[in-house]
Every structure is written in structure tokens, then in C-alpha cells.
Amino acid sequence: MQMAMTLLETAIQRGQWLMLQNCHLLVKWLFELEKEIEKLVKPHPDFRLWLTTEPTNSFPIGILQQSLKVKILNELSRTTLITTIALSNFSKSLCNVI
């Protein structure tokens, strides 16, 4: 998970978009991610974090509460949750991409 945190730090600084897939496989790690997101003070205005997961009751509510958009997709009888993380100082108009 160190690789994911390194990619996250780079994306935050450079204003990149980062997608972390299959988050349901490492729910315990998501609580570390939640803490990192809460610590962000002034990320690059173009930074976006996309998460995909299958439904799980253990998904940290804090991540969902800080998400600008949460979208549930039903594909081939499989449900996937996609969430876009955007903090309060992000331009919400730039996140309307789903």
C-alpha cells in the first residue's frame, strides 16, 4: 500500500487524477487513506481521486462523506461503487465528469 500512498502524494502535488480500483479487497487500508485525505490542507486544484469497490458494509463513511460524487454502476449483475474525492476547496464545476 506504500505504492498507492506514493502515487497519491504525487497526484496531490501535480494535480493528477488517480484511480484506485478494487478497494473492497483492502478495506482496512482504506481507513489509512481516509486519514490522509482528512489531513489535506491545500491540494492542487486539478487533483482528483477515483475509487472503485464492490459493495461492502466496512467502507469508511468518512471517504463517502468527503466525496463530491458517488455513483453506483450495475454491469453484468455486478455492482461497482465509484466515488470521486474532492475537498471543500476544490472547484466543484470541474468534477462534473461522471
Side-chain angles (χ1 to χ4, degrees), residues 20-94:
L20 301 176
Q21 298 179 347
N22 299 317
C23 293
H24 60 281
L25 298 175
L26 291 168
V27 173
K28 288 182 182 180
W29 177 78
L30 288 176
F31 290 96
E32 291 179 41
L33 177 64
E34 180 180 28
K35 289 176 188 174
E36 289 300 313
I37 291 169
E38 289 173 357
K39 285 194 246 178
L40 290 178
V41 177
K42 198 170 186 180
H44 191 286
D46 295 332
F47 165 69
R48 299 294 179 271
L49 175 60
W50 297 74
L51 305 174
T52 68
T53 183
E54 290 185 5
T56 175
N57 292 335
S58 304
F59 199 92
I61 192 72
I63 292 176
L64 295 175
Q65 290 172 336
Q66 293 187 53
S67 299
L68 181 63
K69 288 194 176 214
V70 176
K71 181 149 185 144
I72 299 173
L73 304 174
N74 289 312
E75 295 177 357
L76 303 174
S77 72
R78 195 175 119 212
T79 303
T80 302
L81 174 71
I82 299 177
T83 181
T84 304
I85 305 299
L87 302 177
S88 59
N89 59 344
F90 278 47
S91 170
K92 294 182 191 280
S93 63
L94 292 176

Side-chain angles (χ1 to χ4, degrees), residues 1-6 26 29 32:
M1 299 295 51
Q2 183 59 38
M3 174 68 87
M5 290 305 229
T6 301
L26 291 168
W29 177 78
E32 291 179 41

